[in-house]
């Protein structure tokens, strides 16, 4: 059996996975640092990097133990090398290089956001393409044109905050715990999405880019007055209404941009991945859009929405098949560099 090992350390999750040559998951482990960062209301890069150093070997040991295999059963190793926090990425990349050198096996570089794109299709034997794919997470909000499982083109991205970051910041403003996305998701279910009319920034009639900083500021002014410095009492019901109205504004923009891409290039399917793709209302409205357009929707399975190594090993396996290889000179980089074949 020729296994592929995937390693993911781009932000605050330390993850490893073992997949077989058909991309079936043999074992997967993930250690989240969320408790370490919660009191700061966001990921602290220094703390993240140090925690990966402590956790990476136990996470690897655990994945081998779960799978009941040994390192010598692995035929290749895929690793996230960009984009992300440099101190975090370095830990995974160094570890993968050491593993590849020790076992004398190929090393495959994987772009984290491209792995999120892949995650939408991971559980499907056959997919209808081209797809308009939205990756929405704490660090990224991007639209991709997916021609094949190894050909993606990034056609839109955020010019300021990522959607998940906006969820986290609005939650902090409402004195809700970190990470804010799941809490807002839950509260919004009992709120009125039409209670407050927050702005929807479209950046012009044809743009596929995103901007969420204006929306974030609008929520700040709504809660703390026109200068953002006059906190007032906000009732539980108003908190739910703000959560629902904010969430609806984010989703309106995300889906409108997706629809622009669908219409301008005649997409044959839709896809949705990344941490924010766990959002119940976003999943529901994306499904309604797909049904209305009679297009298949590929939703990342919930377990693969947050950062994980299954998506890294899965895309790594496809890249291996088309000849993508890294070597010991592979460097981690915070920037997004594609490693798909041109
Ligand atoms: O993909 P991910 O684990 O990390 C990055 O690559 O950034 O995404 C984490 C982000 C956080 O901002 C979190 O608040 C958001 O995803 N998130 C959600 C939900 N679950 C997680 N946002 C909205 N609704 C959710 N249910
Ligand atoms: Zn991610």
């Amino acid at each position: 059996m020729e296994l592929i090992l995937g390693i993911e350390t781009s932000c605050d999750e330390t993850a490893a996975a073992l997949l077989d040559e058909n991309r079936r998951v043999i074992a997967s482990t993930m250690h989240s640092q969320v408790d370490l960062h919660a009191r700061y209301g966001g990921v602290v890069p220094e703390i993240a990097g140090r925690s990966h150093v402590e956790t990476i070997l136990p996470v690897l040991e655990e994945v081998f133990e779960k799978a009941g295999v040994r390192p010598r059963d692995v035929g290749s190793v895929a690793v996230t090398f960009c984009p992300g926090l440099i101190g975090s990425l370095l830990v995974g990349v160094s570890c993968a290089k050491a593993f590849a050198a020790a076992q004398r096996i190929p090393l495959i570089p994987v772009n984290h956001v491209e792995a999120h794109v892949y995650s939408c299709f991971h559980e499907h034997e056959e997919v209808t393409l081209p797809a308009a794919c939205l990756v929405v997470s704490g660090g990224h909000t991007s639209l991709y044109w997916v021609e094949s499982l190894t050909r993606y083109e990034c056609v839109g991205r955020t010019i300021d905050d990522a959607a998940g970051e906006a969820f986290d910041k609005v939650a902090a403003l409402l004195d809700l715990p970190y990470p804010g996305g799941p809490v807002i998701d839950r509260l919004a279910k009992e709120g009125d999405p039409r209670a407050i009319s927050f702005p929807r920034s479209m950046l012009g009639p044809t743009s596929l880019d995103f901007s969420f900083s204006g929306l974030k500021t609008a929520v700040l002014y709504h809660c703390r007055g026109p200068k953002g410095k006059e906190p007032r009492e906000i009732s539980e019901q108003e908190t739910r209404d703000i959560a629902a109205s904010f969430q609806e504004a984010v989703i309106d923009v995300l889906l409108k941009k997706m629809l622009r891409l669908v219409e301008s290039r005649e997409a044959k399917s839709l896809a949705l991945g990344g941490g924010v793709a766990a959002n119940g209302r976003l999943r529901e409205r994306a499904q309604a859009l797909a049904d209305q357009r009679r297009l298949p929707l590929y939703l990342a399975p919930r377990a693969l929405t947050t950062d994980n190594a299954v998506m890294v090993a899965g895309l790594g396996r496809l890249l291996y098949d088309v000849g993508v290889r890294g070597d010991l000179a592979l460097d981690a980089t915070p920037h997004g560099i594609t490693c798909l074949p041109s």
Side-chain angles (χ1 to χ4, degrees):
M1 188 164 46
E2 180 95 331
L3 300 178
I4 181 162
L5 169 67
I7 298 179
E8 157 65 42
T9 64
S10 67
C11 188
D12 62 336
E13 269 96 18
T14 320
L18 285 162
L19 271 58
D20 70 11
E21 54 270 84
N22 297 316
R23 288 178 284 126
R24 269 191 295 264
V25 181
I26 306 299
S28 167
T29 50
M30 193 271 274
H31 175 266
S32 168
Q33 303 174 3
V34 70
D35 294 344
L36 291 180
H37 303 287
R39 70 163 132 152
Y40 303 102
V43 177
V44 181
E46 287 284 320
I47 295 176
R50 281 163 206 256
S51 173
H52 284 304
V53 172
E54 287 167 8
T55 320
I56 187 75
L57 293 179
V59 162
L60 282 174
E61 276 163 13
E62 191 184 326
V63 83
F64 279 101
E65 200 173 305
K66 266 190 179 175
V69 300
R70 286 161 302 181
R72 77 167 81 119
D73 299 319
V74 174
S76 56
V77 51
V79 64
T80 302
F81 80 108
C82 80
L85 302 173
I86 188 67
S88 292
L89 287 162
L90 265 172
V91 179
V93 169
S94 310
C95 184
K97 288 202 286 195
F99 192 93
Q103 299 298 323
R104 298 174 200 277
I105 55 173
L107 176 70
I108 303 140
V110 172
N111 171 309
H112 179 79
V113 190
E114 291 174 349
H116 273 301
V117 172
Y118 165 83
S119 73
C120 306
F121 307 101
H122 175 72
E123 289 191 341
H124 297 270
E125 292 277 325
E126 304 233 330
V127 290
T128 306
L129 296 175
C133 175
L134 187 60
V135 174
V136 231
S137 73
H140 320 277
T141 299
S142 305
L143 254 183
Y144 277 82
W145 183 248
V146 179
E147 289 208 19
S148 79
L149 291 189
T150 54
R151 269 186 101 86
Y152 316 154
E153 181 192 350
C154 182
V155 292
R157 59 198 67 70
T158 180
I159 59 165
D160 42 54
D161 292 353
E165 201 179 340
F167 270 90
D168 295 336
K169 288 180 179 164
V170 164
L173 201 64
L174 295 170
D175 282 330
L176 301 171
Y178 173 84
V183 191
I184 292 192
D185 187 355
R186 184 166 46 76
L187 291 178
K189 290 193 174 83
E190 291 153 24
D192 177 3
R194 286 173 306 273
I196 306 138
S197 154
F198 287 128
R200 274 88 168 140
S201 170
M202 296 302 289
L203 301 174
T206 55
S207 168
L208 295 175
D209 289 334
F210 303 90
S211 165
F212 295 105
S213 68
L215 170 60
K216 195 183 63 190
T217 309
V219 179
L220 173 75
Y221 289 174
H222 180 84
C223 297
R224 301 198 180 160
K227 291 203 178 88
K229 290 182 182 156
E230 293 143 41
R232 62 183 173 86
E233 200 66 39
I234 296 177
S235 70
E236 282 187 14
Q237 188 51 45
E238 194 185 353
T239 300
R240 294 187 198 110
D241 289 344
I242 294 171
S245 302
F246 157 77
Q247 178 178 277
E248 208 66 5
V250 173
I251 297 174
D252 274 352
V253 173
L254 292 175
L255 295 184
K256 272 189 187 146
K257 296 281 169 147
M258 195 184 210
L259 192 56
R260 272 185 187 173
L261 179 58
V262 168
E263 287 179 342
S264 66
R265 294 209 187 177
E266 294 183 26
K268 296 219 165 50
S269 63
L270 307 179
L272 181 63
V276 182
N279 184 276
R281 179 84 176 140
L282 176 58
R283 290 174 92 87
E284 189 184 290
R285 287 196 49 200
Q287 189 62 61
L289 176 67
D291 293 346
Q292 184 205 345
R293 294 262 150 181
R294 293 174 203 276
L295 296 173
L297 169 68
Y298 300 106
L299 275 174
R302 276 184 197 268
L304 300 191
T305 54
T306 31
D307 292 347
N308 65 87
V310 170
M311 65 185 189
V312 177
L315 178 57
R317 175 75 223 182
L318 294 177
L319 294 180
Y320 175 85
D321 289 343
V322 293
V324 174
R325 299 286 185 274
D327 58 28
L328 294 185
L330 178 70
D331 242 341
T333 160
H335 310 294
I337 298 172
T338 185
C339 35
L340 304 179
S342 48

PDB file of all heavy atoms in Angstrom, residues 112 116 137 140 307 311, ligand 2:
ATOM      1  N   HIS A 112      -2.419  26.352   0.674  1.00  0.00           N
ATOM      2  CA  HIS A 112      -3.503  26.131   1.634  1.00  0.00           C
ATOM      3  C   HIS A 112      -4.889  26.467   1.060  1.00  0.00           C
ATOM      4  O   HIS A 112      -5.862  25.731   1.269  1.00  0.00           O
ATOM      5  CB  HIS A 112      -3.224  26.989   2.873  1.00  0.00           C
ATOM      6  CG  HIS A 112      -4.255  26.883   3.929  1.00  0.00           C
ATOM      7  ND1 HIS A 112      -4.322  25.828   4.804  1.00  0.00           N
ATOM      8  CD2 HIS A 112      -5.291  27.690   4.255  1.00  0.00           C
ATOM      9  CE1 HIS A 112      -5.339  25.997   5.622  1.00  0.00           C
ATOM     10  NE2 HIS A 112      -5.946  27.127   5.314  1.00  0.00           N
ATOM     11  N   HIS A 116      -8.255  24.166   0.296  1.00  0.00           N
ATOM     12  CA  HIS A 116      -9.658  24.420   0.669  1.00  0.00           C
ATOM     13  C   HIS A 116     -10.569  24.237  -0.559  1.00  0.00           C
ATOM     14  O   HIS A 116     -11.673  23.705  -0.440  1.00  0.00           O
ATOM     15  CB  HIS A 116      -9.838  25.842   1.201  1.00  0.00           C
ATOM     16  CG  HIS A 116      -9.585  25.991   2.677  1.00  0.00           C
ATOM     17  ND1 HIS A 116     -10.295  25.297   3.633  1.00  0.00           N
ATOM     18  CD2 HIS A 116      -8.716  26.786   3.362  1.00  0.00           C
ATOM     19  CE1 HIS A 116      -9.874  25.647   4.845  1.00  0.00           C
ATOM     20  NE2 HIS A 116      -8.910  26.553   4.706  1.00  0.00           N
ATOM     21  N   SER A 137     -12.786  31.835   4.739  1.00  0.00           N
ATOM     22  CA  SER A 137     -12.233  31.384   6.023  1.00  0.00           C
ATOM     23  C   SER A 137     -11.823  32.585   6.850  1.00  0.00           C
ATOM     24  O   SER A 137     -12.134  33.728   6.515  1.00  0.00           O
ATOM     25  CB  SER A 137     -11.043  30.461   5.772  1.00  0.00           C
ATOM     26  OG  SER A 137      -9.951  31.218   5.335  1.00  0.00           O
ATOM     27  N   HIS A 140      -8.942  34.067   4.544  1.00  0.00           N
ATOM     28  CA  HIS A 140      -9.118  34.259   3.102  1.00  0.00           C
ATOM     29  C   HIS A 140     -10.583  34.328   2.712  1.00  0.00           C
ATOM     30  O   HIS A 140     -11.418  33.677   3.326  1.00  0.00           O
ATOM     31  CB  HIS A 140      -8.491  33.093   2.323  1.00  0.00           C
ATOM     32  CG  HIS A 140      -7.203  32.648   2.891  1.00  0.00           C
ATOM     33  ND1 HIS A 140      -6.024  33.278   2.607  1.00  0.00           N
ATOM     34  CD2 HIS A 140      -6.923  31.690   3.798  1.00  0.00           C
ATOM     35  CE1 HIS A 140      -5.068  32.701   3.308  1.00  0.00           C
ATOM     36  NE2 HIS A 140      -5.585  31.739   4.047  1.00  0.00           N
ATOM     37  N   ASP A 307      -9.416  24.067   9.094  1.00  0.00           N
ATOM     38  CA  ASP A 307      -8.130  23.603   8.592  1.00  0.00           C
ATOM     39  C   ASP A 307      -7.897  22.145   8.988  1.00  0.00           C
ATOM     40  O   ASP A 307      -8.124  21.750  10.130  1.00  0.00           O
ATOM     41  CB  ASP A 307      -7.013  24.504   9.129  1.00  0.00           C
ATOM     42  CG  ASP A 307      -7.111  25.890   8.514  1.00  0.00           C
ATOM     43  OD1 ASP A 307      -7.865  26.040   7.533  1.00  0.00           O
ATOM     44  OD2 ASP A 307      -6.439  26.811   9.007  1.00  0.00           O
ATOM     45  N   MET A 311      -7.350  17.547   3.305  1.00  0.00           N
ATOM     46  CA  MET A 311      -7.407  18.307   2.050  1.00  0.00           C
ATOM     47  C   MET A 311      -6.004  18.525   1.474  1.00  0.00           C
ATOM     48  O   MET A 311      -5.833  18.599   0.253  1.00  0.00           O
ATOM     49  CB  MET A 311      -8.140  19.645   2.252  1.00  0.00           C
ATOM     50  CG  MET A 311      -7.475  20.628   3.180  1.00  0.00           C
ATOM     51  SD  MET A 311      -8.541  22.081   3.428  1.00  0.00           S
ATOM     52  CE  MET A 311      -7.413  23.179   4.337  1.00  0.00           C
TER      53      MET A 311
HETATM   54 ZN1  LIG B   2      -7.893  27.616   6.151  1.00  0.00          ZN
END
